[in-house]
């Protein structure tokens, strides 16, 4: 990381080089040196996710496969979507700022979804998603999908908050026929494999590293959750936010740059997905 030629420096730029399965992905990220709230970094996280997704799509095409996701195909908008806490609060604020009658319509959809979850006996466990193990989450997600509960933002089978949708939504792409998404199974739905998932790294920011499972917020309950958890993480300097994010993304400790460090902070993943910081 190198400070911009300001005195005293107001921003710092990280030149990030990710070697994802042998393919380089580069990003230049400029952040304030002074403490600022995490939501300010959401556009940066989204941009990095899109870069990784674009590379995965190109790799998929090189294998002769085609992405089958299209506007108007809203099957995946009835799946259990994990959003991060910072995204849940953003969604809450987004809905609060909707003009009427749109705000009331969306809130009514959230309320109807909650009613259906409670009726199906799924609400109580979904209120504590951090208690899910991976083995428990998959069958629960299938039970959830069977309820056919649409995302409150689904309109005409398309996302009405497309530019503000959670990163997990962006990362879900399939190459199998679209009609198979109505009855998903590991045998019928083939997802595009990403070299790294930005959504998971964002989820982990600010969480207790000793916890066995990571907290996350079901999108279907995001507004309700944010009402009860209005306080964001305390502001932190940009380099601190980025370092923790990339540690979660690469599952590798990223050393704090010293004054004599070279001007580029490099984080690489080898072909097996193992992270390393070149020396």
């Amino acid at each position: 990381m190198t400070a911009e030629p300001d005195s005293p420096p107001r921003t710092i730029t990280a030149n990030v080089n990710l070697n994802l399965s042998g393919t380089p992905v580069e990003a230049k990220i400029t952040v304030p040196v002074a403490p600022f709230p995490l939501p300010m970094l959401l556009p940066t996280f989204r941009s990095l996710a899109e870069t990784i997704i674009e590379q995965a799509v190109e790799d998929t095409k090189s294998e002769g496969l085609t992405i089958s996701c299209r506007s108007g195909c809203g099957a995946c908008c009835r799946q259990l979507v994990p959003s991060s806490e910072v995204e849940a609060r953003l969604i809450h604020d987004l809905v609060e700022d909707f003009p009427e009658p749109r705000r009331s319509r969306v809130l009514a959809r959230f309320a109807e979804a909650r009613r259906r979850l409670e009726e199906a006996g799924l609400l109580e466990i979904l209120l504590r998603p951090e208690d899910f193990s991976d083995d428990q989450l998959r069958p629960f997600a299938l039970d959830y999908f069977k309820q056919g509960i649409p995302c409150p933002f689904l309109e005409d089978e398309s996302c009405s908050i497309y530019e503000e949708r959670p990163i997990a939504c962006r990362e879900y792409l399939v190459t199998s026929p679209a009609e198979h998404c109505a009855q998903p199974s590991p045998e019928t739905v083939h997802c595009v494999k990403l070299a790294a998932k930005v959504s998971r790294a964002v989820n982990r920011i600010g969480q207790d590293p000793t916890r066995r499972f990571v907290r996350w917020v079901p999108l279907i309950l995001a507004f309700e959750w944010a009402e009860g958890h209005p306080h964001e993480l305390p502001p932190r300097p940009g380099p601190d936010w980025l370092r923790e994010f990339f540690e979660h993304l690469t599952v590798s400790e990223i050393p704090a740059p010293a004054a004599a460090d070279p001007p580029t902070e490099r984080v690489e993943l080898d072909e097996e997905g193992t992270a390393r910081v070149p020396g």
Side-chain angles (χ1 to χ4, degrees):
M1 297 183 182
T2 56
E4 296 293 326
D6 298 303
S7 183
R10 296 192 300 268
T11 63
I12 195 167
T13 297
N15 295 302
V16 181
N17 294 276
L18 298 176
N19 188 346
L20 305 175
S21 300
T23 301
V25 175
E26 298 182 359
K28 177 177 283 190
I29 303 174
T30 300
V31 293
V33 173
F36 64 91
L38 181 61
M40 285 180 58
L41 272 177
L42 269 179
T44 297
F45 295 148
R46 291 170 179 165
S47 178
L48 181 59
E50 294 293 347
T51 299
I52 295 173
I53 292 165
E54 288 170 6
Q55 185 58 59
V57 169
E58 289 301 313
D59 292 344
T60 297
K61 290 179 179 178
S62 70
E63 297 171 3
L65 301 173
T66 303
I67 305 299
S68 53
C69 302
R70 297 288 185 276
S71 176
C73 175
C76 60
C77 300
R78 291 170 175 81
Q79 293 193 26
L80 180 60
V81 176
S83 68
S84 63
E85 295 180 356
V86 64
E87 290 174 313
R89 293 189 182 97
L90 173 70
I91 286 170
H92 173 275
D93 295 345
L94 192 68
V95 175
E96 286 286 75
D97 289 341
F98 282 164
E100 293 291 357
R102 185 185 182 191
R103 177 180 179 277
S104 294
R105 285 199 303 266
V106 172
L107 288 178
R109 292 175 196 153
F110 272 109
E112 173 61 11
R114 192 185 201 280
R115 183 195 67 78
R116 291 179 62 180
L117 287 169
E118 188 168 22
E119 188 177 78
L122 302 178
L123 179 62
E124 195 62 33
I125 188 171
L126 200 55
L127 289 172
R128 292 188 56 82
E130 69 272 17
D131 290 341
F132 280 111
S133 67
D134 290 342
D135 291 341
Q136 294 171 321
L137 184 57
R138 187 181 297 275
F140 182 89
L142 288 174
D143 287 343
Y144 177 97
F145 185 80
K146 290 176 183 177
Q147 307 306 315
I149 303 173
C151 171
F153 300 109
L154 185 65
E155 297 178 2
D156 298 324
E157 293 302 303
S158 295
C159 179
S160 64
I161 59 163
Y162 191 77
E163 296 301 324
E164 303 294 335
R165 69 197 189 283
I167 295 173
C169 296
R170 303 163 193 258
E171 294 175 332
Y172 187 85
L173 295 169
V174 302
T175 58
S176 45
E179 56 268 24
H180 290 177
C181 292
Q183 294 182 317
S185 72
E187 293 74 33
T188 59
V189 175
H190 304 136
C191 295
V192 173
K193 185 177 180 180
L194 302 179
K197 286 199 172 183
V198 170
S199 60
R200 292 178 181 174
V202 175
N203 270 348
R204 287 166 167 77
I205 295 177
Q207 296 204 26
D208 182 354
T210 65
R211 283 187 59 88
R212 183 179 179 188
F213 303 124
V214 177
R215 292 195 313 269
W216 52 278
V217 182
L219 175 58
I220 203 75
L221 298 176
F223 189 90
E224 172 183 337
W225 180 90
E227 287 273 284
H229 302 80
H231 302 296
E232 295 278 1
L233 293 170
R236 294 167 59 187
D240 291 355
W241 286 128
L242 290 185
R243 189 173 305 111
E244 182 179 352
F245 167 75
F246 280 108
E247 285 183 342
H248 294 314
L249 185 71
T250 64
V251 196
S252 176
E253 183 177 355
I254 309 298
D261 280 352
T264 300
E265 179 79 9
R266 300 187 65 201
V267 182
E268 297 186 355
L269 299 180
D270 62 23
E271 294 186 4
E272 285 72 40
T274 302
R276 66 186 185 91
V277 181

